[in-house]
């Protein structure tokens, strides 16, 4: 594939236009499917004094601009979620006070820790999922309309679980969520599953989606940004973890899931799309981590901007085009 050639393919993103998507063209001579923002990291580690690190965060279009939920580990190294706003998706104002969820059943609402948020618009509001501490990590769920008040709902699953990622619409009348059952530590295993729910409270019909395999995705895998609906299936970016002699290495790749039965994998990447190679991805609090949690899309042009955590310290931005990712996926499928 020549990634710089204009594709005549009919692959389309099903979604809204986002003409102000943060964007840079692929640098001349760069043959990679995904390319990095030239001024990464787009968000540095300490946008407010008590922040030790700012990474693995979720952004969405909001009122013609952008908003998001951000993971900041503070200088006591507790993990919390913060709101942020931006005019352009590049310069962010992050609220120093952490999000205080309201409305949750007191039995589950006591705050322990929260990290790795995802945010999605479904029907009439934004939903936030995150890794929520409740006798160990599970999937927390809340909704907001204004990024000021966040109403907490029931935790979606039993402990231990991470990487809960909602689909952006109901499928055949049910909500769907990807997740990665795990353990209470730095889990040395993990496959992606999908569950469905009539009401976002009661989850069932759990189906296996993909297993860890080898190499960059040999130890565990987990869904990344909200899946992107395309004319050919759900485009799911996901992280894969390699166990090296010196610890875990987090890269990310892509898969295409069936639109009606999202546990059916149509294509799955053999090789990674991005591995930690830049200094800010390799050096930080946790070396060698590239961990995507959000993607903005501009449907008419097929442009995609991915936000990813770098070395559990800062936030990076990368770009790709849907028709090129899918062409690459078809050629590089397991
Ligand atoms: C996972 C989570 C992620 C983190 C990753 C690499 O278990 O804690 O937030 O990015 O490990 O350290």
């Amino acid at each position: 594939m020549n990634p710089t050639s204009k594709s005549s393919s009919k692959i389309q993103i099903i979604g809204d236009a986002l003409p102000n998507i943060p964007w840079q063209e692929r640098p001349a001579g760069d043959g990679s499917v995904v390319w990095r923002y030239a001024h990464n990291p787009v968000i540095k580690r300490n946008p407010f004094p008590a922040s030790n690190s700012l990474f693995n965060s979720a952004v969405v279009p909001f009122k013609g601009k952008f908003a998001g939920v951000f993971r900041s580990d503070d200088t006591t190294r507790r993990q919390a979620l913060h709101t942020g706003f931006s005019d352009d998706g590049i310069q962010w104002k992050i609220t120093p006070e952490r999000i205080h969820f309201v409305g949750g059943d007191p039995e589950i609402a006591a705050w322990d820790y929260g990290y790795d948020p995802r945010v999605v618009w479904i029907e009439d509001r934004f939903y936030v999922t995150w890794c929520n501490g409740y006798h160990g990590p599970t999937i927390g769920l809340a909704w907001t309309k204004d990024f000021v008040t966040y109403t907490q709902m029931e935790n979606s699953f039993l402990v231990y679980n991470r990487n809960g990622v909602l689909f952006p619409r109901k499928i055949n009348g049910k909500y769907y969520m990807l997740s990665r059952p795990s353990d209470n530590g730095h889990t040395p295993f993990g496959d992606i599953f999908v569950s469905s729910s009539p009401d976002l409270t009661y989850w069932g019909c759990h189906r296996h989606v993909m297993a860890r395999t080898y190499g960059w995705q040999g130890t565990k895998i987990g869904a990344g940004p909200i899946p992107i609906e395309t004319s050919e299936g759900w485009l799911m970016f996901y992280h894969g973890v390699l166990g090296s002699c010196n610890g875990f290495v987090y890269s990310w790749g892509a898969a295409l899931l069936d639109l009606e039965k999202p546990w059916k994998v149509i294509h799955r990447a053999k090789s990674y799309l991005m591995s930690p190679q830049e200094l800010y991805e390799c050096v930080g609090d946790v070396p060698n981590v590239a961990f995507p949690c959000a993607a903005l899309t501009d449907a008419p042009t097929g442009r995609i901007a991915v936000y990813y955590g770098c070395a559990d310290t800062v936030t990076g931005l990368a770009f790709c085009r849907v028709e090129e990712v899918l062409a690459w996926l078809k050629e590089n499928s397991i």
Side-chain angles (χ1 to χ4, degrees), residues 214 216-217 252-254 268-273 328 332 334:
Y214 56 77
W216 72 274
Q217 47 186 334
W252 55 279
R268 176 182 181 176
K270 216 185 309 189
S271 42
Y272 60 72
L273 278 171
W328 172 86
N332 292 280
I334 288 179

Side-chain angles (χ1 to χ4, degrees), residues 30 51 60 69-70 73 83 91 135-136 171-172 211 214 242 248-249 251 257 277-278 280 288 301 309 316 318 324 326:
D30 184 342
S51 176
V60 287
V69 175
F70 294 80
D73 295 4
T83 299
Q91 304 282 337
H135 305 278
I171 301 169
N172 296 321
Y214 56 77
L242 173 147
F248 289 150
V249 178
S251 305
L257 309 179
Q277 297 184 5
E278 296 295 329
Y280 54 88
N288 307 319
T301 62
E324 294 175 358
L326 291 195

Side-chain angles (χ1 to χ4, degrees), residues 55-56 71 79 115-116 162 180 185-187 220 248 250 286 289 291 312:
F55 60 106
N56 297 4
R71 169 178 176 173
Q79 303 138 334
Y115 58 84
D116 297 0
R162 293 182 171 100
R180 210 280 304 289
H186 300 293
T187 316
K220 51 184 170 174
F248 289 150
Y250 283 70
V286 182
V289 179
F291 194 102
D312 284 10

Side-chain angles (χ1 to χ4, degrees), residues 256-268:
L256 194 68
L257 309 179
D258 186 88
L259 283 175
E260 299 289 312
K261 296 180 176 170
W263 55 95
K264 302 275 185 209
V265 180
I266 303 168
H267 297 294
R268 176 182 181 176

